[in-house]
Amino acid sequence: GQNIDQPTEMTATEGAIVQINCTYQTSGFNGLFWYQQHAGEAPTFLSYNVLDGLEEKGRFSSFLSRSKGYSYLLLKELQMKDSASYLCAVRDGDYKLSFGAGTTVTVRA
Amino acid sequence: DVKVTQSSRYLVKRTGEKVFLECVQDMDHENMFWYRQDPGLGLRLIYFSYDVKMKEKGDIPEGYSVSREKKERFSLILESASTNQTSMYLCASSLRGQADNSPLHFGNGTRLTVT
């Protein structure tokens, strides 16, 4: 089976940095995705990593270490609108994505 | 922009009813998926399809079936609804690709309550 772990909740202050960790043990690996999901809305794609290293996209960055089965999503210069759930997902074959339970981030003023 | 449309935002059904959840995408994507999302469990894959008339079981297919007669439409069927199928159901689509960064595009979800 697939095992994808991430913290349940995190709280941070507006303007700060938050790092959301994700560890995975899956039967295969063909890419790791991060999604953002605001309450009551559909998940939206944030980032993709398939090779080791850091991918930067504006205020958001994502890191992958395949040997450690580890990724993190870094959110910089936090804004109130960043309050949401962040979902880590691993593609373990050609098509399927398996998801972690999600991390709810609360940004406080 | 890719649009994935789910026919109902909210549904209330009785135990034992046959329930159809419909999903349509407008970007000619080959792959389509049905997930359910429950608090503390995240998104769990029910079924997916990588081509018309093709279907594959996901992690929790029991009690569900699917139909893909046309490329743009993927239906989830609850043969006999039960209370443990009360959940948020999310449909998604993606381009075909075996080793690319093609992300899933999600619909807004159908919140199903079975009483």
Side-chain angles (χ1 to χ4, degrees), chain A residues 4-33:
Chain A
I4 301 169
D5 289 320
Q6 50 183 131
T8 305
E9 294 180 333
M10 301 182 76
T11 301
T13 306
E14 201 173 11
I17 298 172
V18 70
Q19 177 174 314
I20 306 168
N21 296 324
C22 172
T23 57
Y24 63 89
Q25 290 177 307
T26 54
S27 54
F29 182 82
N30 195 14
L32 187 142
F33 295 77

Side-chain angles (χ1 to χ4, degrees), chain B residues 59-75:
Chain B
D59 299 318
I60 51 164
E62 295 80 18
Y64 303 94
S65 62
V66 290
S67 172
R68 191 149 181 221
E69 296 297 317
K70 294 185 177 181
K71 190 175 186 180
E72 67 270 19
R73 186 179 297 271
F74 193 36
S75 303

